[in-house]
Amino acid sequence: IELKQFLQFDTRSLLGNALAKGPAEFLETVESTAFLSQLADSWPDKHLSMRFVMRTTDSPPLDLNLEEVGEGVRQIIPVVVAALQKCRSPLIVEEPETHLNPRIIAALGDLFIESILGKKRPFLILETHSEHLILRLQRRIRESTNAGEKTSSEVFSANDLAVHFLENKDGHTQVTTMDLDINGGFIDPWPDNFFELDFHERMGGVN
């Protein structure tokens, strides 16, 4: 994301101060009514014009206004920025997979692994219903195990991932910890066949 800066005077300073807070805080700041009001007051001719552009990795690259991309892409940008920002506090994300296609959801798994192995965050807490995300994390554990000797900073192991299944039982939340083996496989099946719908839909009616 790049901010088209053709700014002068107090406007450049104001945005510079917001950017200095860090990418995640900047995105939150520029959305606030107070900030936009202050920015408008500092604009030399009182005509405010600012836009965010997302540049693709295609060749040649394509610049897209955030209003032109899907809801899932817009909402995941702050998560991507926060995951890559070095911070002492944990990152907590609720359903990062919302409005995203399966390939991007799986790629988020790699992003979160990069955040952990790169020591950007002490730990992450993800609330998800996505099998695609979990399968990617399991795959990276399996690949690390099969890759042989690596330094601890390069290995994503079963010790780095804790999976807990929450369900309502008699009006109370019951937590089941899903233990993994060294290859990233779950030792016990999911409660209530939670991720077995795909199998049953494919095989239902087959004699």
Side-chain angles (χ1 to χ4, degrees):
I1 306 170
E2 63 180 34
L3 179 63
K4 300 294 186 181
Q5 293 193 15
F6 44 92
L7 311 174
Q8 302 174 4
F9 313 117
D10 294 339
T11 304
R12 183 185 294 274
S13 175
L14 184 62
L15 284 170
N17 291 336
L19 282 165
K21 297 179 180 180
E25 288 80 359
F26 173 73
L27 289 175
E28 294 179 0
T29 300
V30 297
E31 290 180 349
S32 68
T33 303
F35 175 84
L36 292 176
S37 176
Q38 188 179 2
L39 186 61
D41 289 341
S42 70
W43 199 258
D45 59 6
K46 302 303 180 184
H47 294 288
L48 183 62
S49 178
M50 182 175 67
R51 71 190 183 104
F52 289 96
V53 176
M54 183 175 68
R55 176 163 293 173
T56 69
T57 57
D58 300 328
S59 183
L62 178 65
D63 286 351
L64 297 173
N65 190 304
L66 289 188
E67 295 179 355
E68 299 170 344
V69 298
E71 180 66 28
V73 174
R74 288 197 297 271
Q75 73 176 22
I76 203 62
I77 287 174
V79 175
V80 173
V81 172
L84 296 178
Q85 182 183 19
K86 196 170 183 62
C87 183
R88 293 190 214 176
S89 62
L91 176 63
I92 303 174
V93 186
E94 180 181 4
E95 297 184 23
E97 69 273 11
T98 304
H99 302 305
L100 295 175
N101 68 52
R103 181 172 296 177
I104 296 179
I105 294 171
L108 282 178
D110 289 328
L111 170 73
F112 296 137
I113 291 173
E114 180 180 347
S115 180
I116 291 297
L117 295 185
K119 301 189 183 304
K120 303 293 185 182
R121 298 275 178 162
F123 61 90
L124 284 71
I125 299 177
L126 309 174
E127 188 272 321
T128 182
H129 299 107
S130 173
E131 187 177 18
H132 303 294
L133 177 57
I134 293 176
L135 287 174
R136 176 56 60 89
L137 298 176
Q138 290 181 275
R139 173 185 171 182
R140 296 310 186 210
I141 293 173
R142 183 172 63 253
E143 289 175 344
S144 293
T145 300
N146 295 335
E149 285 193 20
K150 285 187 176 182
T151 64
S152 59
S153 63
E154 298 174 319
V155 173
F156 182 67
S157 71
N159 293 328
D160 296 313
L161 179 64
V163 179
H164 304 287
F165 180 84
L166 279 65
E167 59 183 328
N168 187 300
K169 287 284 188 179
D170 301 322
H172 301 281
T173 300
Q174 178 173 301
V175 180
T176 302
T177 298
M178 305 295 297
D179 294 321
L180 297 106
D181 59 31
I182 62 171
N183 292 311
F186 288 112
I187 296 174
D188 297 313
W190 284 96
D192 198 28
N193 296 319
F194 187 71
F195 279 136
E196 301 298 326
L197 178 61
D198 181 77
F199 171 80
H200 291 298
E201 290 297 313
R202 290 175 182 273
M203 302 306 294
V206 175
N207 296 324

